Amino acid sequence: MNGRPLAPHLPSLEALRAAPLLVASDLDRTLIYSAAALGLAMPDAEAPRLLCVETYERKPLSYMTETAAALLAELAGATTFVPATTRTREQYGRIHLPGPAPEFAVCANGGHLLVRGESDPDWQRTVAERLAAQCAPLDEVRAHLVRTADPAWLLKERVAEDLFAYLVVERPLLPDTWVKDLAGWADERGWTVSLQGRKVYAVPKPLTKSAAVAEVARRTGASEILAAGDSLLDADLLLAADRGWRPGHGELADSGWHAPHVTALDERGVAAGEDIVRAFLRGAVPSGHAG
């Protein structure tokens, strides 16, 4: 940012650098937002300027406010910032966040730990061993998804990184009982279910963002972890963090999920993303340096 000052009341870069700190955040609907998820409720003339951070098939797809982008660049330059996403490595590769490229990133909900852009083979082996020991196989779960889904509302069926499965559905036609029944069936087999927008995810329970982030903390010697997320797949990350934040939208907000050390923000949409980055910066102030 070439010396651009932080927003008022935010810590200096010198204060941020004084202690080892890891900041791990979900991306979609937490830090970055599609056009449909922006939630711009204000008059057009008052809408914030937006920065496109992802292009797909030569069209803009995901955005942050310019203010959030500037603050994230400051944060990423002063802490260990770890994007933690359920996206595949290919999907994550489309995103270009402001600031320095993260040294670490978590993809496939913890299935891949990227180190300077490359998946860590030791972590891959660790994940494979945990899944084999604790969960029903992917093929069994995928077959159940396809067998029980109704073609009237099923749009697509996909497997991500040979680790988990998800369906793309017509949300208004999706019966609530189907998701509840699927969650019960999956739970008995060591899997969890999450409904996010038009996607129904079935993910092995040991496949978590928190486990991969804990490995980053071990490698970097981080003494504190800050985290943010909006979905049930982020709950483990938030619970494992020292402090966390969730936006006013998403699965966690809709279900009333809470924890003592997790702040539930009122803001929704892209404005929540900006608030989360501000919260990270404020939360990063080492003891005795807040001003």
Side-chain angles (χ1 to χ4, degrees):
M1 296 302 297
N2 298 322
R4 177 175 175 174
L6 292 170
H9 312 301
L10 294 178
S12 67
L13 295 186
E14 290 75 15
L16 287 172
R17 292 190 182 102
L21 178 75
L22 191 156
V23 177
S25 182
D26 174 53
L27 295 177
D28 293 280
R29 291 171 58 90
T30 297
L31 288 189
I32 69 175
Y33 292 79
S34 67
L38 287 173
L40 299 176
M42 70 290 291
D44 289 345
E46 299 174 12
R49 286 165 57 104
L50 300 173
L51 175 70
C52 177
V53 294
E54 180 187 14
T55 300
Y56 179 56
E57 294 183 343
R58 295 172 292 281
K59 296 179 181 179
L61 183 61
S62 298
Y63 305 85
M64 307 176 71
T65 69
E66 285 193 346
T67 298
L71 295 174
L72 181 60
E74 300 280 11
L75 181 73
T79 66
T80 299
F81 172 67
V82 182
T85 179
T86 305
R87 286 180 176 230
T88 64
R89 288 170 289 174
E90 180 182 1
Q91 292 166 338
Y92 171 71
R94 300 196 302 253
I95 300 172
H96 299 283
L97 295 172
E103 182 177 2
F104 300 96
V106 175
C107 291
N109 211 62
H112 287 280
L113 175 58
L114 304 190
V115 183
R116 291 179 289 279
E118 299 294 329
S119 185
D120 186 85
D122 290 336
W123 183 250
Q124 287 185 46
R125 284 190 290 271
T126 297
V127 169
E129 291 169 0
R130 290 175 180 173
L131 298 190
Q134 302 177 40
C135 307
L138 172 62
D139 288 346
E140 177 183 341
V141 175
R142 181 184 184 186
H144 182 81
L145 284 174
V146 174
R147 184 173 61 252
T148 59
D150 189 333
W153 45 258
L154 176 62
L155 299 177
K156 299 177 184 176
E157 179 265 331
R158 295 287 186 270
V159 169
E161 302 271 20
D162 290 323
L163 291 168
F164 62 89
Y166 66 93
L167 306 180
V168 181
V169 303
E170 285 283 6
R171 180 70 177 267
L173 301 179
L174 181 66
D176 291 339
T177 54
W178 186 85
V179 176
K180 183 178 180 180
D181 291 344
L182 174 64
W185 180 91
D187 182 66
E188 295 176 353
R189 290 159 178 81
W191 288 63
T192 188
V193 171
S194 175
L195 175 61
Q196 302 181 40
R198 297 194 307 156
K199 293 181 179 179
V200 180
Y201 290 92
V203 180
K205 288 183 180 180
L207 195 68
T208 63
K209 296 178 181 180
S210 62
V213 169
E215 176 64 12
V216 177
R218 185 188 69 81
R219 296 187 188 191
T220 60
S223 60
E224 187 176 12
I225 298 175
L226 309 183
D230 72 294
S231 80
L232 291 176
L233 292 177
D234 298 312
D236 68 282
L237 176 61
L238 292 171
L239 289 172
D242 295 285
R243 284 175 287 173
W245 292 264
R246 68 162 175 82
H249 61 257
E251 265 187 318
L252 297 179
D254 292 345
S255 66
W257 185 93
H258 65 278
H261 65 288
V262 177
T263 300
L265 300 174
D266 292 327
E267 289 285 1
R268 301 170 60 88
V270 72
E274 186 173 310
D275 271 6
I276 285 168
V277 183
R278 289 183 185 277
F280 279 150
L281 281 164
R282 292 192 177 99
V285 183
S287 177
H289 287 273

